[in-house]
Amino acid sequence: AEALSAGDAGDCVDALTALHAQRLGACRAAQRDVARSVRELGEALVAAVEPYFEAEEEHFVQVAEADVELGRLHRTASAAKARYQAALRGLEAISERAHRRRGSSDGSSERTSAEQTPVGGASTAPLSAEAPALRSAQRFDSGGGGVGGGGLGGGIEAEA
């Protein structure tokens, strides 16, 4: 933002140099303390705690791998959910077209919806354009895909 004068820049360098020297001295002191502790406690004690640090490192690697797998599973579930929603929208569109055809080819608006749909919910209206999509949906529904092997059906009944 502001341009530093030559004196300000020199002060900044001096301050950073002093901070570096201070931190370097602290690091060297810590290294001396570790070396003294190893001499005092002996290599056996250091060797005794080393497996715990190695186990901790291995644990962190396993957690990282699990996080990667969890992300992959979330992406897979999201993709499956999107495919399911798209299939459901397609089925709803087919159903709406079938209802419109039944209504327009009916010729009589006095019939009730119960009279238009035979017992068991099967429609007698011709659905030649929708037939391949319905067969595909039925194969998917009975194919055992999805959680619990229920496919799209999963105990949900489509309205007629």
Side-chain angles (χ1 to χ4, degrees):
E2 289 183 27
L4 294 175
S5 68
D8 290 340
D11 292 340
C12 184
V13 169
D14 291 341
L16 290 175
T17 302
L19 181 62
H20 174 71
Q22 177 188 2
R23 301 264 169 91
L24 184 60
C27 179
R28 288 181 177 156
Q31 286 176 334
R32 282 191 302 273
D33 289 344
V34 168
R36 187 184 70 241
S37 295
V38 167
R39 281 192 310 274
E40 291 174 0
L41 299 173
E43 292 290 329
L45 185 57
V46 172
V49 296
E50 186 177 359
Y52 295 103
F53 291 110
E54 289 172 356
E56 182 182 33
E57 182 179 345
E58 183 179 334
H59 170 73
F60 287 137
V61 168
Q62 290 172 349
V63 167
E65 290 170 353
D67 285 342
V68 168
E69 180 66 10
L70 183 63
R72 187 190 67 76
L73 291 173
H74 277 294
R75 287 187 302 277
T76 301
S78 293
K81 190 175 183 180
R83 285 192 312 271
Y84 172 79
Q85 292 296 327
L88 195 57
R89 282 190 302 273
L91 290 173
E92 287 172 352
I94 291 169
S95 178
E96 288 298 319
R97 282 194 298 258
H99 285 296
R100 282 195 303 271
R101 282 187 187 159
R102 255 186 263 140
S104 67
S105 67
D106 196 11
S108 169
S109 60
E110 296 174 14
R111 292 176 62 189
T112 65
S113 64
E115 292 172 328
Q116 292 175 3
T117 305
V119 176
S123 173
T124 58
L127 298 174
S128 59
E130 287 84 6
L134 286 174
R135 281 194 296 277
S136 174
Q138 288 169 346
R139 270 195 309 274
F140 185 73
D141 185 33
S142 62
V147 177
L152 280 178
I156 301 172
E157 296 291 326
E159 293 182 23

